Amino acid sequence: MAVQQNKVSKSRRNNRRAHDALVAANPNECGNCGELKRPHHVCPSCGHYADRQVVAVTDEIELDEDAA
Ligand SMILES: [Zn+2]
């Protein structure tokens, strides 16, 4: 196990952690359906990206119980 050679002062520790804050997400409106979505990502609610459908979206998936 690595062992530190010198005590890290509260000031040095806090200065290191000054850049550790989380940044809030910055959602955009989908150009197709208007839902909020992550920028540069496919819209999860309608499957559009750059004004065209790239992922098929279904409301529900039917599970066939006899398939197994
Ligand atoms: Zn959308």
Side-chain angles (χ1 to χ4, degrees), residues 1 10-11 15 20 24 28 30 42-43 48 57 62 66-68:
M1 193 181 89
K10 292 174 187 173
S11 173
N15 272 319
D20 289 354
N28 292 146
C30 174
V42 173
C43 176
H48 274 65
V57 176
E62 284 188 33
D66 297 332

Side-chain angles (χ1 to χ4, degrees), residues 29-37 42-49:
E29 266 187 21
C30 174
N32 182 61
C33 70
E35 281 287 322
L36 291 177
K37 68 169 195 64
V42 173
C43 176
S45 64
C46 70
H48 274 65
Y49 186 82

Side-chain angles (χ1 to χ4, degrees), residues 2-10 12-13 16:
V3 179
Q4 64 183 15
Q5 288 195 317
N6 299 102
K7 179 184 172 75
V8 177
S9 69
K10 292 174 187 173
R12 191 173 180 87
R13 179 200 64 199
R16 181 178 67 240

